[in-house]
Amino acid sequence: MTIKVIATQAFDNQRPGTSGLRKKVVEFQQPHYLENFVQATFNAIGDCNGKLLVVGGDGRYYNRQAVQIIVRMAAANGFGKVMIGQGAILSTPAASCVIRKYNACGGIVLSASHNPGGPDEDFGIKFNGANGGPAPEKVTEEIFANTTSITEYRTCESADIDLDAIGSARVLDTDVEIIDSVTDYADLMESIFDFDKMRSLLSNRRFRMCFDAMHAVTGPYAVEILEKRLGAAEGTVMNAVPSEDFGGGHPDPNLVHAHELVERMNGVEPMAFGAASDGDGDRNMVLGSGFYINPCDSLALLLANAHLIPGYKGGVNGVARSMPTGRAVDRVAAALDIPCYETPTGWKFFGNLMDAGKITLCGEESFGTGSDHVREKDGLWAVLFWLNIIAERNQPARTIVRDHWTQYGRDYFTRHDFEGVDAARAAEMIDALRAKLPSLAGQTFGELTVESADDYHYVDPVDGSESAKQGIRIYTQDGGRIVMRLSGTGTSGATLRVYFDRYQPDPALLGQDPQKALASLIEAAHAMACIEQYTGRVRPDVIT
Ligand code: G1P
Ligand code: ZN
């Protein structure tokens, strides 16, 4: 086996987005495409000699082939050891856990999250640093700069390694270890939650629950934790076997895509609790019996009940939410007298705050919730948190949420996505709105008057780094807010995301349909941004 240095040419479209580089599989299959990005990442790490690298993915099409390519390149770049999840599987939070536990210099996670998989669908790659979290912008920008100037990459000729057998192999001077994908993560969960209490809840056959793994990566994790360690009935985890195309579905845990689960939560004999996770296991959706729990409320509730969980009994230092996320958690933080930070969209912004000990819990409206136990959002962790709360309080999820609203008031929230719109027109729309910002205050749209408007600019409180143009925010005089931004995770066209939220303290008005409660804001957003004129759309494709 010898090292081979392969001449290559730069591709001009390898800038990582909100969460790594995502493209169609065919794009990744072009000669040198994946290799260039991997070498650019290794170059950004600097000296790889003797270091430990963790590698795994969500099991989607091209995952296994990509792992074989990365192993050869890691060996040729001098890594001391590569740790890989069995079957090339590691959920995003499990990868974060393994990186931290074994002091790796970082890890490569192969995933396009909730995007569909298969030969004609999406693939993705992201680099997580030694803290187990997504690389911060200065690292992703360095990787990107390397992709634009790359002229060669290093690899070697070696047979494919057996990804399915636990054990060790050697490629050049590099140890390659296949580890159980689930154990380290499941042990971590057991160290945070009260498994005894949860076991007695789940062994009560009157408490029927269901977890939809959506044919994606959390299947094996959920079976081990919920069914084996916590004794939930066999079959509690549905769609439990990861498949390369997620069973032809969209592994996105929302009311539209997790419809099988939604059906079980409604109807004649609804289950007491339901949950789903996404392609790579970092997102969660939680449902009570016939009752949807918005992720913004969920984050607020986890904070309000954290004192019931063994892993958080010591207290919560602070909390953070992404800017477009509804402000329910802010109220709980204020009541607890702990800091509440606002960050741009994307998990990478939470890492600094966690590493500096400023926050313990954080979340995003996009079905992402997490804590400092790892440096990624964590779908199954959120589900276990909820189960632990239900076991402690011995109340249905619906009652827990209703009580919360009665105590704090309700922050109505909804997000409207306009998918596959023309990228140039969408950018023009945002630019036009940005140009209007200075004059918006005082203007009236329907029954609403704009109080203030800006383009969100973030200054990281830990290292002072700045991120500009992170979304347009429009505040109305009645306490409402509209946020507009373009998605940074799509692979074709553009997705316009419009977020709406408004606080309602009146106990008589807590049970409304969010679309109705927010209707005046929705109308105002269409009017001020001229959404139809630029996108040709009157209604969104997805509402969450
Ligand atoms: C979306 C979500 C964002 C999340 C990201 C990765 O990014 O909106 O909150 O962190 O996926 O899961 P977007 O497509 O909006 O850039
Ligand atoms: Zn994900």
Side-chain angles (χ1 to χ4, degrees), residues 22 92 111-114 126 278-283 377:
R22 289 189 195 166
T92 286
S111 167
S113 188
H114 50 288
K126 61 180 174 175
D278 72 330
D280 62 330
D282 56 358
R283 294 186 174 202
K377 57 188 172 233

Side-chain angles (χ1 to χ4, degrees), residues 471-523:
I472 297 206
R473 308 190 283 189
I474 295 142
Y475 295 88
T476 55
Q477 281 179 358
D478 66 339
R481 184 180 68 154
I482 303 165
V483 174
M484 288 192 212
R485 55 181 286 280
L486 297 179
S487 157
T489 55
T491 55
S492 54
T495 295
L496 167 68
R497 304 204 196 284
V498 193
Y499 312 76
F500 307 92
D501 70 292
R502 186 193 276 128
Y503 180 54
Q504 177 55 264
D506 184 346
L509 297 174
L510 299 178
Q512 298 174 76
D513 170 2
Q515 302 309 314
K516 292 215 174 79
L518 298 167
S520 58
L521 279 172
I522 296 168
E523 250 173 64

Side-chain angles (χ1 to χ4, degrees), residues 227-307:
E227 296 186 9
K228 301 211 174 117
R229 297 198 187 190
L230 290 172
E234 217 174 287
T236 294
V237 183
M238 61 195 271
N239 302 321
V241 180
S243 86
E244 289 199 331
D245 68 349
F246 308 119
H250 221 107
D252 197 357
N254 60 35
L255 294 175
V256 178
H257 296 305
H259 54 88
E260 248 183 289
L261 169 72
V262 172
E263 279 146 31
R264 293 195 195 186
M265 297 307 298
N266 293 292
V268 218
E269 269 187 275
M271 305 239 165
F273 184 71
S277 190
D278 72 330
D280 62 330
D282 56 358
R283 294 186 174 202
N284 75 90
M285 175 174 72
V286 282
L287 302 168
S289 196
F291 190 74
Y292 166 71
I293 303 170
N294 185 284
C296 311
D297 282 329
S298 179
L299 174 61
L301 269 140
L302 298 193
L303 175 60
N305 291 280
H307 60 281

Side-chain angles (χ1 to χ4, degrees), residues 400-465:
I400 295 172
V401 177
R402 286 272 162 94
D403 285 357
H404 185 90
W405 290 340
T406 308
Q407 185 178 351
Y408 291 96
R410 177 173 180 187
D411 284 87
Y412 281 98
F413 175 88
T414 188
R415 179 176 107 184
H416 289 192
D417 289 342
F418 300 80
E419 294 179 341
V421 301
D422 182 81
R425 291 291 283 159
E428 271 173 45
M429 191 199 96
I430 295 285
D431 285 345
L433 186 60
R434 193 175 280 131
K436 280 193 213 165
L437 287 177
S439 61
L440 272 184
Q443 283 195 39
T444 299
F445 296 89
E447 61 194 56
L448 301 180
T449 305
V450 175
E451 174 149 302
S452 64
D454 67 2
D455 192 351
Y456 181 49
H457 184 102
Y458 180 64
V459 182
D460 186 304
V462 179
D463 64 15
S465 59

Side-chain angles (χ1 to χ4, degrees), residues 10 13 21 99 107 143 174 178 201 220 236 238 240 245 251 324 386 389 391 397 425 444 479 522:
N13 64 352
L21 181 69
I99 291 168
I143 294 173
T174 305
I178 307 295
L201 174 74
T236 294
M238 61 195 271
D245 68 349
W386 264 99
I389 294 173
R425 291 291 283 159
T444 299
I522 296 168

